[in-house]
Amino acid sequence: MTHIIAVTACPSGVAHTYMAAESIERAAKARGWECKVETQGSIGLENELTAEDVAAADIVILTKDIGIKQEERFKGKVTVRVAISDAVKRADAIMEKIAAHLAKAAVTD
């Protein structure tokens, strides 16, 4: 099973952070993938990713509109950076690109 983890954060740390998290989770689960999203909003880190979450992840999605706290956790992982607006509005397209990448990687392994 494919495991996706993500961290969402936006400059104001309010609505888009949580809208992006919901959108990513919904799009990943629609494909039958495991997904956990950490939010870094105005009230701090929520649903914090564990070392086990990171170790099990096939792909890491990070929003790029603002710096992600503790980004060094993802060193060595395949990482996709997306705009917060794309995470909210185009999560299905992001998952499509990830699926294509994973399929290509499976062929070369």
Side-chain angles (χ1 to χ4, degrees), residues 1-108:
M1 172 169 298
T2 299
H3 293 273
I4 305 286
I5 59 173
V7 180
T8 61
C10 70
S12 64
V14 191
H16 284 91
T17 298
Y18 302 99
M19 290 165 50
E22 287 177 23
S23 191
I24 289 169
E25 283 179 337
R26 185 174 52 249
K29 289 181 179 176
R31 290 183 167 272
W33 296 347
E34 290 286 323
C35 182
K36 182 174 179 183
V37 182
E38 173 180 299
T39 55
Q40 296 185 2
S42 58
I43 59 173
L45 268 63
E46 293 180 277
N47 202 33
E48 190 168 355
L49 296 168
T50 66
E52 293 79 22
D53 294 328
V54 175
D58 297 302
I59 297 278
V60 179
I61 301 170
L62 302 176
T63 55
K64 63 182 180 182
D65 303 71
I66 188 171
I68 298 295
K69 294 175 182 76
Q70 303 170 3
E71 193 173 322
E72 65 280 355
R73 301 177 276 179
F74 311 116
K75 188 174 179 169
K77 288 289 182 180
V78 177
T79 304
V80 177
R81 294 186 178 274
V82 299
I84 194 87
S85 60
D86 287 342
V88 172
K89 299 176 188 161
R90 302 183 60 242
D92 290 330
I94 292 166
M95 295 307 155
E96 188 63 39
K97 288 182 179 180
I98 288 171
H101 171 82
L102 292 172
K104 194 159 87 175
V107 171
T108 58

